[in-house]
Amino acid sequence: MAAKTTVPEEDITCPQCTDIYCLPVLLKCGHNICRVCLFNYWEWKGLRECPVCGIVSDTGRPPINLALHNVAKEHKVLIMTSSQNKCCQHNEKLKIFCHNDGELICLICKISKEHKVHECSPVEEAAEQKKAEISASLESLQNKLKTLKNTKQKWEETKTYIKTQAYENETAIKEEFKKFHQFLREEENTRLKVLKLEEETKIQIMCKKLENISDQINTLSSTISDIEKALKAQDIQLLQDYKKTKKRLQCSIGEPEVIRDILINSAKHLGSLSFQIWKKMEDIVRCVPVVLDPNTAQFNLELSEELSCVQYSSKKLLPNNTERLINRVSVLGATGFTSGKHSWTVDVGQGKDWYIGVALDSIQRKNTIFLSPAEGFWVIGLSNGDSLWAQTTPRSKLPMKEKPNRITVELDYERGKVIFINAADSTKIHTFKDKFTEKVFPYFSPGLCEDKKKSSKLKICPQVVKVQVE
């Protein structure tokens, strides 16, 4: 739009520099002079007199004429706006938007050779079209911002849980060490330092990741804020800034990364703890071939006895980290296998519902699945306390004279065999034959219980340890 003002230009022109006033000051005589012009004049003259009438001013600093300053400033803005809204080639109003070149043009430009065959629209119509285009892209950025904020919240919870988990591990370690404190104080302190170092390291990792995602959120928030501000601008201003605005819509921020293995490695700190100190204390030695991984345990599972025992219990407030199984009440062993022969014996006790065996590392951990080899499971289980099943496709009922109390699981990775043996009489219960191409982990599911509070335990039986010194 053209510049409009009710003040004659000569009334807002400095008598010294003959330009529009810039910070005009009011002299004692009533004349107004640009402050810079006045001080330069006084320095050149060597006398504090008015450049217009010559009246000498007092020794104080002349005040700024705010009213005149505001009028002059508004006049400059109107002149600049008027200049921006006109074609630089033809000095005509910019009423057309060229979609091919993405710029405003005048009516003369429209019929010129340069734009004659281009797709053009009136300013109002083009502005509406571009607003819709920008709004659609803005929605994508807003959804990405929402994802980042949700991820940040989860990471904040994970950071807090790491501290809690570290504290729980520390407490468990101290309880175990009470039995040997007289002899093993140095060993205890060493282990606590390792735990503390891991806690600090992983807290630092989460702090850096949280700082990074906060920066991404701030950057994206700033971008969205600027785009929203651009959408509120006048049509002319929006279209003039269209190229720059559209470029800012091209967000380079990717999806939040999936953080694996960030929780405290409880298996390292608590797994077979007494076995680790066995070299110094031979009176109490307990070693199990498989240690349970609490970072994979479903929310209702309780692990105990140096992570060798699991049972259903009350629900716990745990982070839904990548490794955790939430589709079934189950837990994996802390160590997986990619070769060799391995075996472990499980005391299934008097439980009425349970499953034991092995599972692939790539199993679905968050969605509902079937316990079958096709889904990455080679397990057997007891149902309703009276039926033993092999989870084949379809599942197969196994003969059972009496419920087994202890079952040995034998894994032969190279031969693709998972064998289940009744530990009481060494008779085979079932054998799976398949081909393994990735890491497999021991699998345990104690099932639910009648009162929904606690189930019968699944316990990994300790191995017989013999000490021989030569």
Short mmCIF file of all heavy atoms in Angstrom, two decimals, residues 290-337:
data_model
loop_
_atom_site.label_atom_id
_atom_site.label_comp_id
_atom_site.label_asym_id
_atom_site.label_seq_id
_atom_site.Cartn_x
_atom_site.Cartn_y
_atom_site.Cartn_z
N VAL A 290 22.47 -69.82 34.38
CA VAL A 290 21.72 -68.75 33.71
C VAL A 290 21.33 -67.70 34.74
O VAL A 290 20.84 -68.04 35.82
CB VAL A 290 20.46 -69.31 33.01
CG1 VAL A 290 19.58 -68.17 32.52
CG2 VAL A 290 20.84 -70.21 31.86
N VAL A 291 21.55 -66.44 34.40
CA VAL A 291 21.14 -65.32 35.24
C VAL A 291 20.03 -64.57 34.53
O VAL A 291 20.09 -64.33 33.33
CB VAL A 291 22.33 -64.36 35.50
CG1 VAL A 291 21.87 -63.13 36.27
CG2 VAL A 291 23.42 -65.08 36.27
N LEU A 292 18.97 -64.22 35.25
CA LEU A 292 17.84 -63.49 34.67
C LEU A 292 18.19 -62.02 34.47
O LEU A 292 18.96 -61.44 35.25
CB LEU A 292 16.61 -63.62 35.58
CG LEU A 292 16.17 -65.05 35.91
CD1 LEU A 292 14.99 -65.02 36.87
CD2 LEU A 292 15.81 -65.79 34.64
N ASP A 293 17.62 -61.45 33.43
CA ASP A 293 17.88 -60.04 33.11
C ASP A 293 16.68 -59.19 33.52
O ASP A 293 15.64 -59.21 32.85
CB ASP A 293 18.14 -59.88 31.61
CG ASP A 293 18.53 -58.46 31.24
OD1 ASP A 293 18.55 -57.59 32.13
OD2 ASP A 293 18.82 -58.22 30.05
N PRO A 294 16.76 -58.42 34.62
CA PRO A 294 15.61 -57.62 35.07
C PRO A 294 15.19 -56.55 34.08
O PRO A 294 14.06 -56.08 34.12
CB PRO A 294 16.11 -57.00 36.38
CG PRO A 294 17.59 -57.03 36.29
CD PRO A 294 17.92 -58.25 35.49
N ASN A 295 16.10 -56.14 33.18
CA ASN A 295 15.74 -55.13 32.18
C ASN A 295 14.81 -55.67 31.10
O ASN A 295 14.30 -54.91 30.27
CB ASN A 295 17.00 -54.55 31.53
CG ASN A 295 17.84 -53.77 32.52
OD1 ASN A 295 17.34 -53.32 33.53
ND2 ASN A 295 19.12 -53.61 32.22
N THR A 296 14.61 -57.01 31.08
CA THR A 296 13.66 -57.62 30.14
C THR A 296 12.38 -58.08 30.84
O THR A 296 11.44 -58.50 30.17
CB THR A 296 14.29 -58.84 29.43
OG1 THR A 296 14.51 -59.89 30.41
CG2 THR A 296 15.61 -58.48 28.79
N ALA A 297 12.34 -58.01 32.16
CA ALA A 297 11.22 -58.57 32.92
C ALA A 297 9.94 -57.75 32.76
O ALA A 297 9.96 -56.52 32.82
CB ALA A 297 11.59 -58.66 34.40
N GLN A 298 8.83 -58.45 32.58
CA GLN A 298 7.52 -57.80 32.51
C GLN A 298 7.22 -57.12 33.84
O GLN A 298 7.75 -57.48 34.90
CB GLN A 298 6.45 -58.86 32.16
CG GLN A 298 5.10 -58.29 31.77
CD GLN A 298 4.15 -58.21 32.95
OE1 GLN A 298 4.46 -58.67 34.05
NE2 GLN A 298 3.00 -57.61 32.73
N PHE A 299 6.34 -56.11 33.83
CA PHE A 299 6.12 -55.24 34.97
C PHE A 299 5.67 -55.97 36.24
O PHE A 299 5.90 -55.48 37.34
CB PHE A 299 5.08 -54.16 34.62
CG PHE A 299 5.46 -53.31 33.45
CD1 PHE A 299 4.72 -53.32 32.29
CD2 PHE A 299 6.57 -52.49 33.51
CE1 PHE A 299 5.06 -52.54 31.20
CE2 PHE A 299 6.94 -51.70 32.44
CZ PHE A 299 6.19 -51.73 31.28
N ASN A 300 5.04 -57.15 36.11
CA ASN A 300 4.52 -57.85 37.28
C ASN A 300 5.47 -58.90 37.84
O ASN A 300 5.11 -59.61 38.78
CB ASN A 300 3.20 -58.54 36.93
CG ASN A 300 2.06 -57.56 36.77
OD1 ASN A 300 1.81 -57.08 35.68
ND2 ASN A 300 1.40 -57.23 37.86
N LEU A 301 6.67 -58.99 37.28
CA LEU A 301 7.58 -60.03 37.74
C LEU A 301 8.52 -59.53 38.82
O LEU A 301 9.00 -58.39 38.78
CB LEU A 301 8.39 -60.57 36.55
CG LEU A 301 7.58 -61.36 35.52
CD1 LEU A 301 8.49 -61.92 34.45
CD2 LEU A 301 6.78 -62.48 36.19
N GLU A 302 8.78 -60.42 39.76
CA GLU A 302 9.70 -60.12 40.86
C GLU A 302 10.87 -61.09 40.78
O GLU A 302 10.68 -62.31 40.79
CB GLU A 302 8.97 -60.26 42.20
CG GLU A 302 9.85 -60.02 43.41
CD GLU A 302 9.09 -60.18 44.71
OE1 GLU A 302 8.09 -59.46 44.90
OE2 GLU A 302 9.47 -61.05 45.53
N LEU A 303 12.08 -60.56 40.72
CA LEU A 303 13.30 -61.39 40.63
C LEU A 303 14.01 -61.37 41.98
O LEU A 303 14.07 -60.34 42.65
CB LEU A 303 14.23 -60.85 39.54
CG LEU A 303 13.96 -61.30 38.09
CD1 LEU A 303 12.55 -60.95 37.65
CD2 LEU A 303 14.97 -60.66 37.14
N SER A 304 14.55 -62.52 42.36
CA SER A 304 15.22 -62.62 43.66
C SER A 304 16.34 -63.65 43.60
O SER A 304 16.62 -64.23 42.54
CB SER A 304 14.20 -62.99 44.74
OG SER A 304 13.57 -64.23 44.43
N GLU A 305 16.96 -63.87 44.75
CA GLU A 305 18.04 -64.85 44.92
C GLU A 305 19.11 -64.69 43.85
O GLU A 305 19.38 -65.59 43.06
CB GLU A 305 17.47 -66.28 44.92
CG GLU A 305 16.51 -66.54 46.06
CD GLU A 305 15.99 -67.97 46.08
OE1 GLU A 305 16.74 -68.86 45.60
OE2 GLU A 305 14.88 -68.20 46.56
N GLU A 306 19.72 -63.52 43.85
CA GLU A 306 20.80 -63.21 42.91
C GLU A 306 20.35 -63.38 41.46
O GLU A 306 21.08 -63.89 40.61
CB GLU A 306 22.03 -64.07 43.20
CG GLU A 306 22.62 -63.81 44.57
CD GLU A 306 23.87 -64.63 44.83
OE1 GLU A 306 24.37 -65.26 43.89
OE2 GLU A 306 24.35 -64.60 45.98
N LEU A 307 19.12 -62.97 41.18
CA LEU A 307 18.55 -62.99 39.83
C LEU A 307 18.47 -64.41 39.25
O LEU A 307 18.61 -64.61 38.04
CB LEU A 307 19.36 -62.09 38.88
CG LEU A 307 19.53 -60.63 39.32
CD1 LEU A 307 20.33 -59.86 38.28
CD2 LEU A 307 18.19 -59.97 39.55
N SER A 308 18.19 -65.37 40.13
CA SER A 308 18.03 -66.76 39.67
C SER A 308 16.63 -67.29 39.92
O SER A 308 16.35 -68.45 39.63
CB SER A 308 19.05 -67.67 40.38
OG SER A 308 18.77 -67.72 41.77
N CYS A 309 15.75 -66.44 40.42
CA CYS A 309 14.40 -66.85 40.77
C CYS A 309 13.41 -65.79 40.30
O CYS A 309 13.67 -64.59 40.43
CB CYS A 309 14.30 -67.06 42.29
SG CYS A 309 12.66 -67.56 42.85
N VAL A 310 12.26 -66.22 39.74
CA VAL A 310 11.25 -65.28 39.25
C VAL A 310 9.86 -65.77 39.62
O VAL A 310 9.59 -66.97 39.62
CB VAL A 310 11.37 -65.10 37.71
CG1 VAL A 310 11.17 -66.41 36.97
CG2 VAL A 310 10.36 -64.06 37.22
N GLN A 311 8.98 -64.81 39.97
CA GLN A 311 7.60 -65.14 40.25
C GLN A 311 6.71 -63.94 39.95
O GLN A 311 7.17 -62.80 39.92
CB GLN A 311 7.41 -65.59 41.70
CG GLN A 311 7.62 -64.48 42.72
CD GLN A 311 7.47 -64.97 44.15
OE1 GLN A 311 8.30 -64.67 44.98
NE2 GLN A 311 6.42 -65.73 44.43
N TYR A 312 5.42 -64.22 39.73
CA TYR A 312 4.44 -63.17 39.48
C TYR A 312 4.16 -62.45 40.79
O TYR A 312 4.03 -63.06 41.84
CB TYR A 312 3.16 -63.78 38.92
CG TYR A 312 2.10 -62.77 38.56
CD1 TYR A 312 2.04 -62.23 37.28
CD2 TYR A 312 1.15 -62.37 39.50
CE1 TYR A 312 1.06 -61.30 36.94
CE2 TYR A 312 0.17 -61.44 39.18
CZ TYR A 312 0.13 -60.90 37.90
OH TYR A 312 -0.83 -59.99 37.58
N SER A 313 4.07 -61.11 40.73
CA SER A 313 3.84 -60.32 41.93
C SER A 313 3.05 -59.08 41.56
O SER A 313 2.46 -59.00 40.48
CB SER A 313 5.18 -59.97 42.58
OG SER A 313 4.98 -59.27 43.79
N SER A 314 3.04 -58.10 42.45
CA SER A 314 2.33 -56.85 42.18
C SER A 314 3.05 -56.06 41.10
O SER A 314 4.26 -56.17 40.93
CB SER A 314 2.22 -56.02 43.46
OG SER A 314 3.51 -55.75 43.99
N LYS A 315 2.29 -55.24 40.39
CA LYS A 315 2.85 -54.47 39.27
C LYS A 315 3.81 -53.41 39.78
O LYS A 315 3.57 -52.74 40.77
CB LYS A 315 1.72 -53.81 38.46
CG LYS A 315 2.21 -53.16 37.18
CD LYS A 315 1.05 -52.67 36.34
CE LYS A 315 1.55 -52.08 35.02
NZ LYS A 315 0.42 -51.62 34.16
N LYS A 316 4.92 -53.24 39.05
CA LYS A 316 5.95 -52.29 39.43
C LYS A 316 6.03 -51.16 38.41
O LYS A 316 5.72 -51.36 37.23
CB LYS A 316 7.31 -52.99 39.55
CG LYS A 316 7.31 -54.09 40.60
CD LYS A 316 8.55 -54.94 40.49
CE LYS A 316 8.49 -56.08 41.49
NZ LYS A 316 7.30 -56.95 41.27
N LEU A 317 6.43 -50.00 38.88
CA LEU A 317 6.58 -48.85 38.00
C LEU A 317 7.98 -48.91 37.37
O LEU A 317 8.97 -48.55 37.99
CB LEU A 317 6.40 -47.55 38.78
CG LEU A 317 6.40 -46.26 37.96
CD1 LEU A 317 5.25 -46.28 36.96
CD2 LEU A 317 6.30 -45.03 38.86
N LEU A 318 8.05 -49.39 36.13
CA LEU A 318 9.32 -49.59 35.43
C LEU A 318 9.25 -48.89 34.07
O LEU A 318 8.18 -48.75 33.50
CB LEU A 318 9.60 -51.08 35.22
CG LEU A 318 9.63 -51.97 36.46
CD1 LEU A 318 9.73 -53.43 36.06
CD2 LEU A 318 10.78 -51.58 37.37
N PRO A 319 10.39 -48.46 33.56
CA PRO A 319 10.38 -47.86 32.21
C PRO A 319 10.11 -48.92 31.15
O PRO A 319 10.56 -50.06 31.26
CB PRO A 319 11.80 -47.29 32.07
CG PRO A 319 12.64 -48.10 33.00
CD PRO A 319 11.74 -48.45 34.16
N ASN A 320 9.39 -48.53 30.12
CA ASN A 320 9.12 -49.45 29.00
C ASN A 320 10.27 -49.34 28.01
O ASN A 320 10.11 -48.90 26.89
CB ASN A 320 7.78 -49.09 28.34
CG ASN A 320 7.37 -50.10 27.29
OD1 ASN A 320 7.97 -51.17 27.19
ND2 ASN A 320 6.39 -49.76 26.50
N ASN A 321 11.44 -49.80 28.44
CA ASN A 321 12.63 -49.72 27.60
C ASN A 321 12.55 -50.74 26.46
O ASN A 321 11.68 -51.62 26.45
CB ASN A 321 13.89 -49.98 28.44
CG ASN A 321 13.77 -51.23 29.30
OD1 ASN A 321 12.94 -51.28 30.19
ND2 ASN A 321 14.60 -52.22 29.04
N THR A 322 13.44 -50.60 25.50
CA THR A 322 13.39 -51.43 24.30
C THR A 322 13.46 -52.92 24.61
O THR A 322 12.79 -53.73 23.97
CB THR A 322 14.56 -51.05 23.36
OG1 THR A 322 14.53 -49.65 23.13
CG2 THR A 322 14.46 -51.79 22.04
N GLU A 323 14.25 -53.31 25.59
CA GLU A 323 14.48 -54.73 25.86
C GLU A 323 13.32 -55.40 26.61
O GLU A 323 13.21 -56.62 26.62
CB GLU A 323 15.76 -54.91 26.68
CG GLU A 323 17.02 -54.37 26.03
CD GLU A 323 17.23 -52.89 26.28
OE1 GLU A 323 16.37 -52.25 26.95
OE2 GLU A 323 18.24 -52.36 25.80
N ARG A 324 12.47 -54.60 27.26
CA ARG A 324 11.48 -55.17 28.18
C ARG A 324 10.35 -55.90 27.45
O ARG A 324 9.80 -55.42 26.46
CB ARG A 324 10.89 -54.08 29.07
CG ARG A 324 10.14 -54.65 30.28
CD ARG A 324 9.75 -53.57 31.26
NE ARG A 324 10.88 -52.79 31.71
CZ ARG A 324 11.78 -53.19 32.60
NH1 ARG A 324 11.67 -54.39 33.14
NH2 ARG A 324 12.79 -52.41 32.94
N LEU A 325 9.99 -57.09 27.98
CA LEU A 325 8.86 -57.87 27.45
C LEU A 325 7.58 -57.41 28.14
O LEU A 325 7.47 -57.49 29.37
CB LEU A 325 9.07 -59.36 27.73
CG LEU A 325 10.30 -60.01 27.06
CD1 LEU A 325 10.66 -61.29 27.79
CD2 LEU A 325 10.03 -60.30 25.61
N ILE A 326 6.62 -56.92 27.37
CA ILE A 326 5.36 -56.50 27.98
C ILE A 326 4.16 -57.26 27.41
O ILE A 326 3.06 -57.14 27.92
CB ILE A 326 5.13 -54.98 27.79
CG1 ILE A 326 4.97 -54.62 26.31
CG2 ILE A 326 6.26 -54.19 28.42
CD1 ILE A 326 4.54 -53.20 26.09
N ASN A 327 4.39 -58.06 26.36
CA ASN A 327 3.27 -58.78 25.75
C ASN A 327 2.91 -60.04 26.54
O ASN A 327 1.79 -60.52 26.47
CB ASN A 327 3.59 -59.15 24.30
CG ASN A 327 4.91 -59.90 24.18
OD1 ASN A 327 5.68 -59.98 25.14
ND2 ASN A 327 5.16 -60.46 23.03
N ARG A 328 3.86 -60.57 27.30
CA ARG A 328 3.61 -61.75 28.12
C ARG A 328 4.33 -61.60 29.45
O ARG A 328 5.32 -60.88 29.56
CB ARG A 328 4.06 -63.04 27.43
CG ARG A 328 3.17 -63.44 26.26
CD ARG A 328 3.61 -64.77 25.65
NE ARG A 328 2.70 -65.19 24.61
CZ ARG A 328 1.59 -65.89 24.80
NH1 ARG A 328 1.26 -66.26 26.03
NH2 ARG A 328 0.81 -66.24 23.79
N VAL A 329 3.83 -62.31 30.47
CA VAL A 329 4.47 -62.27 31.79
C VAL A 329 5.69 -63.17 31.74
O VAL A 329 5.64 -64.35 32.09
CB VAL A 329 3.48 -62.72 32.89
CG1 VAL A 329 4.12 -62.58 34.26
CG2 VAL A 329 2.20 -61.92 32.82
N SER A 330 6.81 -62.60 31.30
CA SER A 330 8.00 -63.42 31.07
C SER A 330 9.26 -62.59 31.23
O SER A 330 9.22 -61.36 31.34
CB SER A 330 7.96 -64.05 29.68
OG SER A 330 7.74 -63.05 28.69
N VAL A 331 10.40 -63.29 31.24
CA VAL A 331 11.70 -62.66 31.38
C VAL A 331 12.72 -63.51 30.64
O VAL A 331 12.56 -64.73 30.51
CB VAL A 331 12.09 -62.51 32.87
CG1 VAL A 331 12.19 -63.87 33.56
CG2 VAL A 331 13.40 -61.74 33.04
N LEU A 332 13.78 -62.87 30.13
CA LEU A 332 14.84 -63.59 29.42
C LEU A 332 16.07 -63.71 30.31
O LEU A 332 16.25 -62.97 31.28
CB LEU A 332 15.21 -62.84 28.14
CG LEU A 332 14.14 -62.69 27.07
CD1 LEU A 332 14.70 -61.90 25.88
CD2 LEU A 332 13.62 -64.05 26.62
N GLY A 333 16.93 -64.65 29.92
CA GLY A 333 18.22 -64.74 30.58
C GLY A 333 19.09 -63.56 30.18
O GLY A 333 18.89 -62.94 29.14
N ALA A 334 20.08 -63.26 31.00
CA ALA A 334 20.94 -62.11 30.73
C ALA A 334 21.94 -62.39 29.62
O ALA A 334 22.41 -61.47 28.95
CB ALA A 334 21.69 -61.71 32.00
N THR A 335 22.27 -63.66 29.40
CA THR A 335 23.26 -64.02 28.38
C THR A 335 22.61 -64.85 27.27
O THR A 335 21.89 -65.81 27.55
CB THR A 335 24.41 -64.84 29.01
OG1 THR A 335 25.01 -64.08 30.06
CG2 THR A 335 25.47 -65.18 27.97
N GLY A 336 22.87 -64.44 26.03
CA GLY A 336 22.36 -65.19 24.89
C GLY A 336 23.46 -66.06 24.29
O GLY A 336 24.64 -65.92 24.61
N PHE A 337 23.07 -66.97 23.41
CA PHE A 337 24.01 -67.93 22.84
C PHE A 337 23.95 -67.90 21.31
O PHE A 337 22.87 -67.83 20.72
CB PHE A 337 23.69 -69.34 23.32
CG PHE A 337 23.55 -69.45 24.82
CD1 PHE A 337 22.31 -69.70 25.39
CD2 PHE A 337 24.65 -69.28 25.64
CE1 PHE A 337 22.17 -69.79 26.77
CE2 PHE A 337 24.52 -69.36 27.03
CZ PHE A 337 23.27 -69.62 27.60
#
